[in-house]
């Protein structure tokens, strides 16, 4: 059984794209960042969806590129005093929750996420209170406050396992915030779920007709789709999975071409893992002219080199999480990790 929860309107203007840098400017900013990392005993940790310049710099300096939970776990293990998180705000919060003793900086705290924005704690908590008989399961793409309200936090690759586990116990579920991922999980598990109606602005823009046209142009290509995409797009996929799973599939599938329906920032790492494959971004609504995201998160774009080079300037770059809130949010996060270890499943995140 699947039910729908009323959505929350998001009325936040998209950030302006960062300025284009010349090769000389990129070189200067890169050199400055490298010096700052050494000076401050800091490490750069970047998400798959950031721009290639940022991902390459993280790799070159002994940092890390991965999904949100992998980023936080790497930071917790690393000996650096300061973690610089290149991503969106909830990723910085998760890093702080798992590494409370470390300083967590971000290029800008204005980099957010439509899923986070679409699931404000007051509305979500009130809804949960109306259904006290249900387990609250939330996606990692949420604020620390929403995580603290949840019984479970899940990432896209472990979500089906967790929901199967709960369904076997006849648990009824409140799921938030991504409606498409929730629908996909419900179909896979048969769990009784109330779905919060949030959506990722990037994945929500992939459209069936445009994808079918691309498939017709490349009939020999495999279609890789993230489950945050609409049902009609998922139905066309040869493979559905999280960011890490999509990267692995690009390497392992026999096809020489891949049509990829997720944020095109993933192409940097995907091409590394599958150097002989041709990668084609799935078309979005408006086909590039009028689309809102054009297959690349506008908030991820804010993690630009010239912004990163100023991360130690001013006092508005550091992530803080209330201590009591962090302790509450840590409980469902640790529950997820422990569950993953129990089933010997590698925990991977989406965004």
């Amino acid at each position: 059984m699947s039910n729908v929860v009323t959505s929350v309107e998001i009325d936040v203007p998209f950030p302006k794209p960062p300025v284009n840098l010349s090769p000389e400017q990129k070189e200067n900013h890169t050199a400055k960042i490298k010096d700052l990392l050494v000076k401050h005993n800091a490490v750069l940790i970047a998400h798959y969806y950031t721009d290639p310049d940022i991902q390459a710099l993280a790799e070159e300096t002994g940092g890390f590129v991965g999904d949100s939970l992998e980023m936080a776990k790497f930071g917790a293990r690393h000996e650096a005093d300061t973690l610089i998180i290149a991503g969106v705000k909830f990723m910085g919060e998760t890093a702080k929750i798992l590494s409370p003793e470390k300083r967590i900086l971000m290029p800008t705290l204005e980099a957010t996420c439509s899923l986070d924005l679409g699931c404000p704690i007051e509305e979500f908590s009130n809804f949960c209170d109306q259904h006290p008989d249900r387990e609250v399961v939330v996606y990692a793409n949420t604020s620390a406050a929403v995580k603290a309200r949840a019984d479970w936090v899940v990432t896209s690759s472990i979500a089906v396992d967790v929901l199967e586990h709960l369904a076997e116990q006849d648990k009824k579920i409140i799921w938030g915030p991504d409606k498409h991922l929730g629908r996909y999980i419900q179909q896979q598990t048969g769990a009784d779920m109330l779905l919060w109606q949030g959506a990722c602005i990037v994945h929500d823009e992939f459209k069936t007709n445009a994808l079918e046209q691309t498939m017709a142009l490349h009939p020999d290509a495999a279609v890789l789709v993230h489950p945050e995409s609409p049902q009609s797009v998922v139905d066309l996929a040869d493979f559905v999975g999280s960011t890490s799973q999509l990267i692995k599939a690009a390497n392992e599938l026999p096809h020489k071409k891949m049509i990829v329906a997720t944020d095109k920032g993933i192409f940097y790492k995907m091409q590394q893992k599958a150097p002989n494959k041709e990668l084609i971004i799935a078309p979005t609504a408006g086909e590039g002219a009028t689309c809102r995201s054009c297959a690349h998160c506008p908030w991820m774009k804010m993690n630009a080199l010239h912004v990163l080079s100023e991360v130690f300037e001013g006092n508005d770059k550091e992530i803080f999480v209330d201590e009591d809130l962090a302790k509450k949010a840590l409980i469902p996060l640790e529950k997820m990790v422990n569950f993953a270890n129990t089933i010997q499943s590698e925990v991977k995140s989406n965004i």
Side-chain angles (χ1 to χ4, degrees):
M1 174 181 147
S2 176
N3 297 290
V4 170
V5 181
T6 302
S7 62
V8 174
E9 286 295 323
I10 301 174
D11 185 21
V12 177
F14 280 9
K16 295 180 180 179
V19 297
N20 291 322
L21 301 178
S22 67
E24 182 180 3
Q25 288 174 318
K26 286 186 178 183
E27 184 177 342
N28 291 338
H29 285 299
T30 297
K32 179 182 177 181
I33 295 165
K34 289 179 177 179
D35 289 342
L36 288 170
L37 291 174
V38 175
K39 178 181 178 181
H40 293 275
N41 189 25
V43 64
L44 175 59
I45 305 173
H47 190 268
Y48 287 131
Y49 292 167
T50 54
D51 287 336
D53 290 336
I54 300 296
Q55 297 185 51
L57 181 57
E59 292 175 337
E60 291 171 11
T61 55
F64 183 77
V65 178
D67 57 41
S68 59
L69 188 63
E70 288 177 317
M71 291 164 65
K73 290 169 68 177
F74 175 87
R77 296 191 303 265
H78 201 278
E79 61 184 12
D81 299 319
T82 298
L83 310 181
I84 300 177
I85 306 297
V88 293
K89 191 174 182 180
F90 79 79
M91 298 174 184
E93 289 182 338
T94 301
K96 186 64 177 179
I97 292 167
L98 294 182
S99 302
E101 77 288 354
K102 295 184 178 182
R103 186 185 187 193
I104 311 297
L105 299 179
M106 299 191 71
T108 171
L109 301 190
E110 295 180 6
T112 185
C113 170
S114 58
L115 288 170
D116 189 347
L117 291 173
C119 191
I121 181 57
E122 293 81 6
E123 287 87 341
F124 187 71
S125 184
N126 288 340
F127 179 77
C128 293
D129 291 343
Q130 295 171 29
H131 301 277
D133 59 324
R134 290 180 177 264
E135 293 270 313
V136 180
V137 184
V138 301
Y139 197 19
N141 300 37
T142 48
S143 67
V146 168
K147 289 182 174 72
R149 180 61 181 82
D151 299 298
W152 291 83
V153 175
V154 299
T155 59
S156 52
S157 67
I158 199 175
V160 170
D161 290 324
V162 171
L163 269 295
E164 281 181 342
H165 170 72
L166 296 176
E168 288 170 357
Q169 301 177 49
D170 294 323
K171 297 284 188 180
K172 296 181 179 181
I173 307 299
I174 289 175
W175 165 266
D178 191 282
K179 61 183 178 181
H180 297 308
L181 179 57
R183 178 216 66 242
Y184 175 78
I185 295 167
Q186 195 277 332
Q187 290 176 342
Q188 297 297 309
T189 66
D192 183 341
M193 299 168 66
L194 289 178
L195 307 181
W196 191 264
Q197 293 294 287
C200 166
I201 59 164
V202 175
H203 296 96
D204 200 41
E205 288 191 325
F206 293 117
K207 301 299 180 183
T208 310
N209 290 342
L211 178 55
E212 288 177 331
Q213 292 173 13
T214 304
M215 293 168 64
L217 292 173
H218 305 279
D220 54 339
V223 179
L224 310 183
V225 176
H226 194 283
E228 288 178 27
S229 305
Q231 173 78 60
S232 58
V233 174
V234 171
D235 288 344
L236 295 174
D238 295 294
F239 182 86
V240 181
S242 66
T243 48
S244 298
Q245 292 169 341
L246 293 177
I247 291 170
K248 183 178 181 182
N251 180 45
E252 294 182 349
L253 289 174
H255 307 72
K256 297 300 182 183
K257 292 182 180 180
M258 305 286 164
I259 301 171
V260 184
T262 191
D263 191 297
K264 60 187 177 185
I266 201 176
F267 279 21
Y268 174 80
K269 183 60 71 172
M270 188 175 280
Q271 201 74 78
Q272 279 187 346
K273 299 296 183 180
N276 297 321
K277 303 293 178 73
E278 180 182 349
L279 306 179
I280 304 162
I281 191 65
T284 55
E287 299 183 351
T290 59
C291 61
R292 295 162 60 195
S293 73
C294 299
H296 190 29
C297 174
W299 292 293
M300 285 288 185
K301 285 183 182 179
M302 297 176 76
N303 295 275
L305 283 175
H306 68 285
V307 181
L308 179 59
S309 69
E310 299 172 353
V311 71
F312 289 99
E313 300 175 13
N315 56 2
D316 60 345
K317 311 285 188 179
E318 186 168 358
I319 288 284
F320 296 97
V321 179
D322 177 81
E323 185 175 346
D324 290 338
L325 189 67
K327 289 179 180 178
K328 293 177 182 178
L330 182 61
I331 294 172
L333 280 169
E334 288 186 329
K335 186 185 293 188
M336 173 184 63
V337 174
N338 292 336
F339 180 85
N341 290 337
T342 299
I343 64 172
Q344 297 182 333
S345 171
E346 186 177 10
V347 176
K348 300 293 183 184
S349 174
N350 155 47
I351 248 190

